[in-house]
Amino acid sequence: MNSIENPLYNKVAELLEQARKQVATVVNITMVHTYFEIGRTIVEDEQQGEARAEYGKKVLKELSIKLKERFGKGFSVDNLQNMRKFFLVYSKYETVSSILQNDDNQLIENQKIPSSQSPAFRLSWSHYLVLMGLENEQERSFYEIEAAKQRWSLAQLKRQYHASLYERLALSRDKNEVLKLSQQGHTVEKPQDLLKNPLTLDFLGLGEKNSYSESDLEQGIITKLQEFLLELGKGFLFEARQKRFTFDNEHFFVDLVFYNRLLQCYVLIDLKIEKLTHQDLGQMQMYVNYYDRFEKQLFEKPTIGILLCKKKNNNLVELTLPKDANIYASEYSLYLPEKKLLQQKLNEWIAELENEKEN
């Protein structure tokens, strides 16, 4: 009997698929907690014996051989060292690494590692191997929260990190909200929370072309819509491209129309590959006004307009639009941003904020 015509089979099969996923998740999380405790055990043992360099060469090598004999692959010296690092990074015990040895490579006595319970891990070991490489604790916390909330695959986590999502979101926000990113992840509570500086569209492959048109940009986005939605951020639903509306017997076309379920409003996006002009801003203002007056329902929030452009002029935007306009200009890049430059800019910004607070 065809499964489509057998609702009983479909329901049972769905239950089994869900059970498999849950079992796999439980196994992965259990493994992560176990690796954390192995790391704790290694650090505690390390404190009782030889200096760290000798410990790594001798003890971990012997431990690795015995574990592989009994439990198989996965317990190389490198992996054991990763478990040790995992504990040091996620134990929230800031002085652990500094107490293991002093400048003379001698163990410092009478220091204890806290025996508190493991943190609430929610990601796979492969995810944590990437996260452990992030030295900035706030950045690491942001990516951990977002990876868990958005259920990022390992590839998606790597892509968002290399695309400097944390820095781009931070630089698009009020300085006082930067810390919030590391504590809560990317929250969407107001239109400005949707913005990134810049929006990274490297996945379109247009950077390899000598020239491209707005139609090429639009078609590339539609072809790679899943990646574009991931880059836009949370809550976006795609409605239409070249959405037509008619006013006074004249037809107008909005390049891309989205709906954000978190803000409960339409988001209109116009694509510009040339220099942004005041005419572009005026046109978007008209689009937003039309949607607010004729499309928006009473329970919905005001429409948001975003001009996605190669280069924006903040002064022009401020001069052209009224202060309460729900319209924003956002730059896009066809290449992954230079992470070091964004990090430097963000660090300078945070330093300015700290100086302001002190004064």
Side-chain angles (χ1 to χ4, degrees):
M1 182 180 294
N2 192 310
S3 62
I4 297 178
E5 301 172 356
N6 190 337
L8 176 61
Y9 167 80
N10 291 337
K11 289 179 181 179
V12 172
E14 183 178 355
L15 288 172
L16 290 173
E17 289 294 339
Q18 291 177 351
R20 284 182 176 181
K21 291 178 181 178
Q22 290 174 353
V23 168
T25 300
V26 170
V27 170
N28 284 333
I29 298 302
T30 301
M31 182 176 70
V32 170
H33 279 274
T34 301
Y35 287 171
F36 180 84
E37 292 305 322
I38 290 174
R40 182 202 301 275
T41 303
I42 290 173
V43 170
E44 290 176 343
D45 184 73
E46 183 178 356
Q47 286 185 294
Q48 307 302 318
E50 305 170 71
R52 195 168 87 184
E54 291 302 317
Y55 183 96
K57 291 178 182 178
K58 181 181 177 182
V59 180
L60 288 188
K61 186 176 180 180
E62 293 176 354
L63 178 62
S64 172
I65 292 172
K66 292 181 179 179
L67 288 176
K68 285 190 290 185
E69 287 177 353
R70 179 171 177 178
F71 298 101
K73 297 179 180 179
F75 294 97
S76 66
V77 173
D78 286 343
N79 282 345
L80 292 174
Q81 288 174 336
N82 281 330
M83 295 172 201
R84 173 189 178 278
K85 182 180 179 181
F86 185 45
F87 170 72
L88 294 178
V89 170
Y90 281 92
S91 64
K92 308 300 181 185
Y93 193 71
E94 297 179 356
T95 59
V96 167
S97 59
S98 64
I99 67 174
L100 295 181
Q101 61 186 53
N102 58 21
D103 293 338
D104 297 324
N105 205 35
Q106 298 297 317
L107 188 69
I108 299 176
E109 301 293 343
N110 301 322
Q111 298 286 353
K112 299 294 183 183
I113 302 297
S115 58
S116 57
Q117 294 182 350
S118 302
F121 299 118
R122 296 174 291 174
L123 300 171
S124 73
W125 177 240
S126 297
H127 284 78
Y128 283 110
L129 286 175
V130 173
L131 292 169
M132 280 190 291
L134 308 187
E135 296 182 3
N136 185 309
E137 185 175 344
Q138 292 182 350
E139 181 182 18
R140 184 170 63 245
S141 175
F142 166 79
Y143 284 113
E144 182 179 7
I145 292 171
E146 285 301 297
K149 281 185 176 180
Q150 304 305 312
R151 298 182 180 180
W152 285 345
S153 65
L154 180 62
Q156 288 172 329
L157 170 61
K158 289 180 177 179
R159 195 267 169 187
Q160 295 289 27
Y161 169 73
H162 290 299
S164 304
L165 177 62
Y166 173 72
E167 290 87 354
R168 289 185 293 126
L169 282 172
L171 290 169
S172 302
R173 276 153 180 68
D174 183 276
K175 295 177 183 178
N176 296 310
E177 294 185 356
V178 173
L179 184 60
K180 188 177 177 181
L181 285 173
S182 64
Q183 297 172 336
Q184 301 179 20
H186 181 199
T187 56
V188 178
E189 300 170 347
K190 55 186 183 298
Q192 292 86 341
D193 293 337
L194 300 179
L195 304 178
K196 299 184 183 75
N197 186 27
L199 207 68
T200 302
L201 306 180
D202 61 295
F203 51 84
L204 299 182
L206 294 178
E208 301 171 2
K209 294 187 175 183
N210 293 326
S211 63
Y212 60 93
S213 65
E214 289 177 1
S215 296
D216 293 331
L217 183 59
E218 180 183 316
Q219 183 59 50
I221 288 173
I222 296 300
T223 303
K224 300 284 188 177
L225 187 57
Q226 182 176 356
E227 290 90 340
F228 186 66
L229 286 171
L230 180 64
E231 174 62 16
L232 280 181
K234 297 182 177 179
F236 278 95
L237 304 173
F238 176 65
E239 180 174 302
R241 66 183 293 194
Q242 291 298 312
K243 182 68 176 291
R244 188 182 80 171
F245 67 88
T246 304
F247 186 75
D248 279 352
N249 296 320
E250 187 174 355
H251 300 310
F252 300 92
F253 298 86
V254 185
D255 288 343
L256 299 169
V257 178
F258 293 87
Y259 191 86
N260 190 281
R261 62 181 181 82
L262 299 179
L263 295 181
Q264 290 189 305
C265 67
Y266 283 105
V267 180
L268 312 180
I269 296 181
D270 240 12
L271 306 173
K272 303 296 176 184
I273 64 172
E274 303 293 341
K275 181 180 179 181
L276 189 65
T277 67
H278 67 278
Q279 290 94 338
D280 297 329
L281 295 164
Q283 178 177 265
M284 177 57 78
Q285 180 74 74
M286 187 265 289
Y287 291 170
V288 167
N289 289 344
Y290 178 86
Y291 265 76
D292 279 343
R293 296 174 189 178
F294 300 105
E295 297 289 343
K296 181 177 77 69
Q297 299 187 57
L298 292 177
F299 68 88
E300 293 176 323
K301 303 291 177 58
T303 303
I304 298 171
I306 297 177
L307 288 133
L308 196 57
C309 53
K310 191 69 175 176
K311 189 70 176 177
K312 68 175 180 176
N313 184 324
N314 290 327
N315 293 329
L316 177 67
V317 175
E318 292 178 7
L319 183 63
T320 304
L321 297 174
K323 292 184 178 180
D324 59 347
N326 215 15
I327 297 172
Y328 307 90
S330 180
E331 293 181 355
Y332 70 87
S333 172
L334 298 177
Y335 303 92
L336 289 178
E338 294 187 38
K339 194 172 186 68
K340 288 185 178 180
L341 292 179
L342 287 178
Q343 288 176 332
Q344 180 180 348
K345 187 175 181 181
L346 179 58
N347 290 336
E348 291 172 355
W349 200 5
I350 293 175
E352 289 177 10
L353 175 61
E354 292 175 347
N355 290 333
E356 290 174 4
K357 289 182 178 179
E358 291 177 358
N359 297 330

